[in-house]
Amino acid sequence: MILSKNDNFIYLFMILSFSDNMRVSQDVLNTQGLPFQAGIPVSTNLFFNRKKELNELKTVFLSIKKGVRQDVALISPRRFGKTSLLLKLKEELEKEDIVVIYFDCSKVFPFSIENFLEIYIKETLSVFCKKEGWKILPSRIADAVAGSPEAVTDVVASLVSIIGVEFGDFMKIWFQVKKREKKPSALFESALDLPERLSKKTGLTTFVIFDEFQLLKEFDKDFFWALRARMQEHKRTAYAIAGSSIGLMNEIVSTKGSPFYNMFLVRTLKPFEDKDAIDFLKQRFKSANFSIDEDGLVAIMEKSGNIPFYLQWLGLNSYLLALHLKKRTITKEIVDSAYANGLLTIPQFEREFGVFTKTQQMVL
């Protein structure tokens, strides 16, 4: 299929507007009624397959309610749907009355241990406040953790009256570190133990997810040892670490001498099976009152390698092109054109972006 210059411009504008904006909001996508979603974690009906992995992880982590704790490491290349699976797992476990703290290590910026602990505390308190119905605005927690000791005394006292001494104990150490009366390492035990202490206080069980865990390797070499020491003491809190840097994650969980050597049940994600990819594509195109012929299916599967992100991406590109061309059936010709105009730039971007350090990525 040869697109005219005008067609090509319009199509590329659609791709840039809908597909290449990797921060497009869920609300916008739902409003547009797009059958595919690329670039951000998927949810609801756009989450497909992974039933085996999801059920296995649920079984493992639900066992903590019976006193059996098993931690898991989920290792997956980029774009295989790792984060989508973790967020779906979070949703499922929350239905089982488990407190779930999802922590994206890539959101720590500037990248420092102090910022890591500060964000971790905020996330922990926010989740427990929501779960227990504690009448506390998230902004008050943020003010208490981020403010100076002198400025937030009343706020801290008010929060302690609601949350309890667990919060007060942490804030005491937090203020001592801010006043440089203690080293930041003094925060480790208090901050990392907070989910466990709140679990005991509330009678609940907690599941902590560290996504992109390998980024924490940039911290001081003793950080992992300190984290391991605290995790091993916990009875009501289970952990999942996940990462997309295969080499670093394998080094963390499988290398002798690593603090986390043989500590986790290790699982990996693979591309979809052909049958699952076909079912997914047919279902999603049908949801938009489109169809896809056999050659179109083969073309998308071959070009995407059945990797979830690329199935979503090429499906979306093909849908937008067919929409512009006023076609209701996705053919190989449409897929080939969509691929040529949209998909070829992605692998190059990811390869080039991946060579930068965490700090450089955040700046970019």
Side-chain angles (χ1 to χ4, degrees), residues 6 82 97 169 180 218 280 340 352:
N6 185 54
K82 164 183 59 65
D97 208 32
D169 290 345
R180 302 191 183 280
E218 292 188 27
F280 169 71
E352 293 177 352

Side-chain angles (χ1 to χ4, degrees), residues 67-87:
V68 180
R69 175 188 149 192
Q70 175 62 60
D71 298 331
V72 172
L74 182 63
I75 303 175
S76 164
R78 285 172 58 82
R79 305 309 185 189
F80 274 55
K82 164 183 59 65
T83 299
S84 295
L85 174 60
L86 291 172
L87 293 177

Side-chain angles (χ1 to χ4, degrees), residues 4 24 68 88 101 122 134 158 180 211 265 290 303 340 345 363:
S4 68
V24 64
V68 180
K88 184 66 174 179
I101 301 167
K122 290 178 185 177
W134 293 331
S158 174
R180 302 191 183 280
D211 201 0
L265 176 68
F290 276 63
K303 287 176 168 59
T345 60
V363 170

Side-chain angles (χ1 to χ4, degrees), residues 121-305:
I121 289 298
K122 290 178 185 177
E123 290 292 328
T124 299
L125 291 172
S126 295
V127 170
F128 271 94
C129 284
K130 181 179 179 181
K131 178 65 177 177
E132 287 297 282
W134 293 331
K135 303 298 183 181
I136 302 172
L137 293 174
S139 59
R140 297 199 75 197
I141 295 175
D143 290 343
V145 176
S148 66
E150 297 77 12
V152 298
T153 300
D154 291 341
V155 175
V156 171
S158 174
L159 294 177
V160 170
S161 69
I162 299 172
I163 300 174
V165 295
E166 291 79 8
F167 181 71
D169 290 345
F170 166 75
M171 291 306 299
K172 181 180 179 180
I173 298 175
W174 183 252
F175 287 156
Q176 288 173 329
V177 171
K178 285 198 170 189
K179 292 178 179 179
R180 302 191 183 280
E181 295 173 1
K182 287 189 176 183
K183 294 181 179 180
S185 58
L187 282 171
F188 268 88
E189 185 171 333
S190 182
L192 297 175
D193 283 352
L194 189 59
E196 179 73 2
R197 294 190 67 186
L198 290 176
S199 293
K200 291 178 180 178
K201 172 185 175 66
T202 59
L204 297 168
T205 50
T206 303
F207 173 45
V208 178
I209 303 170
F210 288 114
D211 201 0
E212 297 304 338
F213 184 77
Q214 76 279 349
L215 295 174
L216 301 184
K217 203 171 186 297
E218 292 188 27
F219 289 151
D220 181 271
K221 63 180 180 180
D222 293 330
F223 177 85
F224 276 171
W225 285 107
L227 180 56
R228 174 184 179 272
R230 301 320 314 147
M231 291 168 64
Q232 285 192 320
E233 293 293 321
H234 299 162
K235 305 298 183 184
R236 303 184 67 90
T237 306
Y239 293 87
I241 64 171
S244 55
S245 177
I246 308 302
L248 282 177
M249 286 299 294
N250 282 330
E251 180 183 335
I252 289 169
V253 301
S254 302
T255 302
K256 289 183 178 180
S258 167
F260 299 111
Y261 175 63
N262 282 349
M263 182 173 167
F264 296 93
L265 176 68
V266 180
R267 289 293 182 264
T268 59
L269 291 182
K270 298 178 181 179
F272 283 180
E273 298 289 337
D274 284 351
K275 178 183 181 302
D276 294 324
I278 291 170
D279 290 345
F280 169 71
L281 291 168
K282 285 184 175 180
Q283 180 186 108
R284 297 316 306 152
F285 281 120
K286 184 178 180 181
S287 72
N289 295 318
F290 276 63
S291 62
I292 180 169
D293 65 22
E294 293 300 315
D295 289 339
L297 285 170
V298 172
I300 290 182
M301 291 163 59
E302 286 181 348
K303 287 176 168 59
S304 68

